[in-house]
């Protein structure tokens, strides 16, 4: 639409999950994880970029020793729909062989990204491999994959904030909100 010269940062997301609710839930997850991995050292593997805010809060609330590494995959471009094509843009630095690995991701949507990552990581023979996601959108699943820990189940909306982006915007919002798909499409 030619009259829509708005930058996507001008669309104010509708609040879905408040900052306070996120903090409470992240603390619960951290307590659960600390109990599950008590007495062990955990390799926390963040999937960039969406996981970084969640990961930073989560590990600071956990009481087990952690090593942190990151992996960057890309599947989206600036569109709000998955392409189904996953590419490792940056691999992790640590070996995960014989380690307890916890993959941290912002959103489990179609599941294509995480199932690719999990298959890839399994080949490296970790001792254990689990997944924690901040948000789960089960309505849109295309791959048979489940997270071991889920922060929030969210409706089929395009969510942003607390690490999640739309065209690289909104990652720094302290809350989780959604933007209307129609607006997003006009922008994208
Ligand atoms: P999947 O492969 O469809 O499961 O997509 C997973 C990735 O797409 C996540 O890591 C997110 O970065 C991104 N994604 C999926 N849904 C949303 C959304 O509603 N908002 C922002 N990013 C999303
Ligand atoms: Mg992502």
């Amino acid at each position: 639409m030619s009259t829509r010269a708005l930058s996507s940062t001008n669309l104010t997301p509708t609040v879905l999950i408040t900052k306070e609710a996120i903090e409470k839930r992240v603390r619960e997850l951290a307590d659960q994880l600390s109990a599950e991995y008590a007495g062990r050292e955990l390799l926390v593997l963040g999937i960039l970029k969406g996981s970084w805010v969640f990961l930073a809060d989560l590990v600071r609330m956990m009481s087990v020793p952690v090593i942190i590494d990151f992996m960057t995959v890309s599947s989206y471009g600036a569109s709000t729909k998955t392409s189904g094509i996953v590419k490792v843009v940056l691999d992790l630095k640590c070996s995960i062989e014989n380690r307890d690995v916890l993959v941290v991701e912002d959103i489990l949507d179609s599941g294509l990204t995480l199932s690719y990552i999990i298959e890839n990581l399994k080949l490296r023979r970790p001792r254990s491999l689990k997944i924690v996601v901040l948000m789960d959108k089960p309505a849109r699943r295309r791959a048979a994959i489940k997270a071991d820990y889920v922060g929030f189940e969210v409706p089929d909306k395009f969510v942003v904030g607390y690490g999640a982006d739309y065209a690289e915007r909104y990652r720094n919002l302290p809350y989780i909100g959604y933007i209307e798909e129609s607006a997003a499409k006009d922008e994208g």
Side-chain angles (χ1 to χ4, degrees):
M1 235 185 274
S2 58
T3 49
R4 260 197 106 87
L6 280 176
S7 137
S8 57
T9 49
N10 288 340
L11 303 168
T12 302
T14 308
V15 179
L16 191 63
I17 307 167
T18 64
K19 180 173 177 280
E20 292 72 25
I22 295 170
E23 189 183 330
K24 179 168 177 279
R25 186 67 188 125
V26 173
R27 193 168 292 282
E28 285 169 4
L29 289 171
D31 289 346
Q32 264 183 287
L33 289 163
S34 298
E36 155 130 22
Y37 293 100
R40 289 188 275 167
E41 184 183 67
L42 184 60
L43 195 149
V44 178
L45 174 50
I47 308 304
L48 291 175
K49 304 175 196 171
S51 70
W52 68 273
V53 178
F54 174 42
L55 186 150
D57 282 347
L58 186 69
V59 294
R60 282 179 294 173
M61 292 177 188
M62 284 170 59
S63 57
V64 291
V66 296
I67 288 179
I68 296 163
D69 207 342
F70 294 99
M71 194 173 181
T72 308
V73 298
S74 87
S75 61
Y76 262 64
S79 161
T80 58
K81 292 278 182 307
T82 188
S83 65
I85 299 162
V86 181
K87 196 170 71 177
V88 176
V89 178
L90 177 82
D91 207 351
L92 68 171
K93 198 173 158 198
C94 301
S95 163
I96 62 168
E97 190 169 349
N98 267 323
R99 307 206 68 113
D100 293 303
V101 178
L102 178 69
V103 175
V104 184
E105 175 62 310
D106 57 350
I107 305 172
L108 183 52
D109 187 20
S110 74
L112 293 170
T113 307
L114 261 184
S115 57
Y116 174 87
I117 290 169
I118 293 300
E119 289 316 307
N120 180 300
L121 294 175
K122 274 184 188 164
L123 300 173
R124 310 181 195 197
R125 302 168 170 280
R127 177 161 57 190
S128 68
L129 185 59
K130 291 208 170 182
I131 303 168
V132 58
V133 295
L134 177 67
M135 292 177 273
D136 187 8
K137 255 196 241 179
R140 291 177 24 108
R141 198 75 85 253
R142 285 165 63 194
I145 184 159
K146 268 192 168 170
D148 300 283
Y149 297 89
V150 174
F152 301 95
E153 202 171 285
V154 294
D156 186 8
K157 300 231 181 243
F158 199 83
V159 292
V160 294
Y162 198 69
D165 74 309
Y166 169 65
E168 298 299 331
R169 275 65 175 224
Y170 305 112
R171 293 194 197 274
N172 60 326
L173 288 182
Y175 62 92
I176 292 164
Y178 64 89
I179 50 177
E180 296 300 339
E181 291 274 353
S182 57
K185 270 193 212 98
D186 284 350
E187 292 301 316

